[in-house]
Amino acid sequence: VRINEILPYHGDESESWIEFYNAGTDEVDLSGWQLVRADIKDRVRYIPQGTKIAAGSYTVLSELETEAGKLENVSFVARGETVYLREMQNGKATGVESGLEYAAVLPGHSAGVIALSDGSHQQGMLQSPTKGKANAEISLGPIYISEVFYNPQDGDVEFLEIVNRSDSTVTFLEIVNRS
């Protein structure tokens, strides 16, 4: 089970929520698992009792339990943060965890994880929230790195390809190493 998507609170009418995805082949009981926000004081919350997620399915929560067992609304910050889901059994961490680290998220967007064609995953701001279903693509700005060719074994030339999708010319500041 992984953290799949987070809709942070933007101070407007939107509701903050967190989505989990079960990539396994069996149903998983998330009851009592910890959700840890790395940069926040009073940062540990718990998945409510009775929360189960079927194989290949999504579960979305807008409330988590405090240490005292009280349900509270989740409120993830739009400026970005790091959140971990820790598997717990009989009140003890098993050592299995999943995390989502995201930078600032604009209103109308969420942060999430997408699977890439090589089997790896990428995290970032999504083009749109996709509550309870497969995530939208990562939202790229008008300027992004599309390809890196670093340290080729055959002595070929290294390069970094930068794409400008905008209609405007962009001037990069030249940085000179003076050491």
Side-chain angles (χ1 to χ4, degrees), residues 20-145:
F20 305 100
Y21 175 67
N22 180 357
T25 57
D26 296 319
E27 180 180 74
V28 176
D29 186 350
L30 299 174
S31 300
W33 287 27
Q34 287 184 345
L35 194 75
V36 180
R37 297 171 66 189
D39 303 326
I40 307 294
K41 186 178 179 182
D42 187 30
R43 64 187 195 262
V44 178
R45 292 291 181 263
Y46 299 89
I47 307 297
Q49 293 300 312
T51 304
K52 296 181 179 182
I53 181 170
S57 294
Y58 304 88
T59 293
V60 178
L61 297 177
S62 58
E63 294 182 320
L64 297 169
E65 288 183 2
T66 65
E67 184 121 14
K70 180 183 174 199
L71 284 176
E72 289 186 348
N73 290 334
V74 297
S75 183
F76 298 99
V77 294
R79 73 173 184 282
E81 63 182 306
T82 303
V83 182
Y84 296 99
L85 174 66
R86 291 192 178 140
E87 180 182 15
M88 303 293 287
Q89 288 185 0
N90 301 318
K92 297 191 188 286
T94 65
V96 176
E97 69 180 28
S98 119
L100 177 61
E101 181 178 0
Y102 63 94
V105 176
L106 298 173
H109 295 269
S110 59
V113 178
I114 62 165
L116 301 176
S117 60
D118 66 359
S120 64
H121 292 88
Q122 181 179 7
Q123 301 180 3
M125 185 172 71
L126 302 176
Q127 291 177 358
S128 62
T130 53
K131 187 177 186 178
K133 56 187 175 187
N135 288 345
E137 293 296 315
I138 298 289
S139 182
L140 298 174
I143 298 173
Y144 62 93
I145 297 171

Side-chain angles (χ1 to χ4, degrees), residues 5-17:
E5 186 174 1
I6 291 175
L7 181 69
Y9 178 71
H10 287 284
D12 57 14
E13 299 289 319
S14 69
E15 118 189 20
S16 188
W17 46 260

